[in-house]
Amino acid sequence: MNIFNIIDYVTKTLKLEMVLGYIRGEIFDKDAKKVDIETYVKASTMLMRLNTKNSRNIDIIRAIDNVCFRLVAKTKKKKERLLQCVVGKKLIEIDSDGTIIPCEMLDVNFGNMRDYDYDIKRVLKTKKALDFFKFLKRKDCYCTWECAMKNNIIYSISEYPGLFFECLRQLLIKDK
């Protein structure tokens, strides 16, 4: 079974919306990372159209997903970050032991909330955190982590016109 069969089954047979993530990071099956970017683009384009057709309404979340699909592909092709990354400031992970992790793609943590009386704002002012924010400003990394990418879109005013046009595109697809 390939990705296109899966998309057909989920969207046409089950009539469900589906999200596609580009494989990244360390994985068990190394062959799974051998994904051709053009196959991803074709699959995500197909998915955007089918998700819109299957939905009863137009929504900004789907618009963000669709803009994200395109940015992931562009990022992968250009091998550079296209938007300012907001991980660590607008998006953090809290590990089960209380450790604050700004990005699942990097081996970085800001410290443990317990050591700062559970005050995340204090953790975000640590030297580790401030050094990480400087690192991000230098654009020393880029990735295709969709959670980060979607937050970058939301917090980037320059992406708002694209989101608006994506909502219009959804309207046009629904009318066909």
Side-chain angles (χ1 to χ4, degrees), residues 13-109:
T13 305
L14 299 178
K15 302 241 184 271
L16 296 172
E17 290 191 41
M18 180 179 163
V19 176
L20 183 65
Y22 195 85
I23 195 159
R24 63 190 181 282
E26 292 300 316
I27 58 170
F28 178 74
D29 180 3
K30 303 297 182 202
D31 286 339
K33 284 189 101 166
K34 295 177 184 174
V35 176
D36 173 44
I37 191 64
E38 295 310 319
T39 301
Y40 171 82
V41 169
K42 188 176 175 184
S44 61
T45 301
M46 177 182 176
L47 195 54
M48 287 187 281
R49 190 184 79 255
L50 291 168
N51 280 345
T52 299
K53 283 188 174 277
N54 285 341
S55 178
R56 286 184 216 111
N57 52 11
I58 306 307
D59 74 43
I60 192 69
I61 301 301
R62 187 173 315 96
I64 292 167
D65 285 343
N66 292 353
V67 169
C68 182
F69 282 141
R70 292 184 190 104
L71 278 172
V72 164
K74 280 184 192 176
T75 298
K76 195 71 181 159
K77 287 177 181 178
K78 290 187 171 199
K79 297 184 172 130
E80 66 182 15
R81 188 170 65 211
L82 302 173
L83 295 176
Q84 180 60 44
C85 188
V86 297
V87 297
K89 289 186 177 183
K90 304 292 185 185
L91 171 70
I92 59 170
E93 291 184 34
I94 303 173
D95 204 349
S96 60
D97 69 353
T99 301
I100 303 291
I101 301 164
C103 177
E104 73 174 27
M105 298 307 299
L106 301 172
D107 187 23
V108 176
N109 77 69

